[in-house]
Amino acid sequence: MQRGPFGLDTMFHNLIHLELIFDFNYRYRFRSQHNCRWLTKILKNFPKLQTLIIDEINKVDTVHNYCDGKWEDPTIIPECLLSHLTTCSLRNYSHLSCELQFAKYIMKNSRVLSNMTIQCAKFLETNTKLQMSRELSLYPRISGACKILCI
């Protein structure tokens, strides 16, 4: 059997709630872009996922150095986005390019998404928060019921 990303080769057919915490102080820390790519790959392992919460802790404004390169949407959209994901929450969001692209990917592909909550990192300036809020609220969503809350 071929192992999935980070050794994850198991399907979690009944998992409906997933909360992930990325610790930027952890000695094997990953770049934010890597986390976003990894997330899009593992979502296929949770076909009935309804709630996705992502928190990035111990993040400081120097974390911008950890997000480089270009975002590419996966070619296959996970089943949970097509038919089950209703709630997505991104905590300690710092408006990195890869975080923004991941949020847009979720909004663009989650057919039944009703709530997208973005909790901004404390170090973000007010103007950056407003710009991010405007950009995300103007981005097209496949779900007509999707409401975006930026806090």
Side-chain angles (χ1 to χ4, degrees):
M1 177 183 289
Q2 185 177 8
R3 298 190 67 78
F6 292 85
L8 187 61
D9 56 7
T10 304
M11 291 295 286
F12 296 87
H13 294 283
N14 296 316
L15 186 80
I16 61 170
H17 182 98
L18 179 64
E19 184 166 351
L20 298 170
I21 299 173
F22 296 109
D23 185 347
F24 276 82
N25 276 343
Y26 188 62
R27 76 177 223 205
Y28 297 110
R29 94 179 126 210
F30 301 103
R31 294 182 307 217
S32 289
Q33 180 184 16
H34 185 76
N35 289 341
C36 292
R37 286 182 183 165
W38 178 74
L39 280 169
T40 59
K41 288 179 183 176
I42 68 157
L43 285 175
K44 69 177 177 48
N45 293 58
F46 313 109
K48 293 185 180 165
L49 187 67
Q50 296 173 13
T51 301
L52 175 62
I53 300 170
I54 301 167
D55 196 353
E56 295 178 318
I57 60 173
N58 297 317
K59 209 175 200 186
V60 294
D61 57 0
T62 57
V63 79
H64 292 276
N65 297 330
Y66 296 103
C67 188
D68 54 4
K70 184 180 177 194
W71 169 271
E72 292 180 26
D73 279 357
T75 53
I76 298 173
I77 300 169
E79 182 181 341
C80 63
L81 299 185
L82 295 173
S83 57
H84 295 286
L85 190 71
T86 59
T87 303
C88 182
S89 180
L90 305 177
R91 298 177 180 161
N92 208 15
Y93 182 93
S94 59
H95 201 232
L96 297 174
S97 174
C98 52
E99 290 175 326
L100 179 64
Q101 294 304 319
F102 180 76
K104 288 179 175 181
Y105 172 76
I106 293 293
M107 293 188 314
K108 177 172 64 174
N109 293 293
S110 298
R111 293 182 181 169
V112 295
L113 188 67
S114 57
N115 295 303
M116 177 72 149
T117 303
I118 310 288
Q119 181 182 7
C120 295
K122 292 178 183 175
F123 62 79
L124 283 183
E125 295 179 7
T126 303
N127 286 341
T128 303
K129 291 178 184 179
L130 290 171
Q131 174 192 357
M132 179 266 311
S133 178
R134 256 187 309 244
E135 186 171 351
L136 286 174
S137 60
L138 293 173
Y139 193 77
R141 305 173 274 266
I142 195 167
S143 170
C146 180
K147 293 178 178 47
I148 299 175
L149 175 62
C150 295
I151 52 176

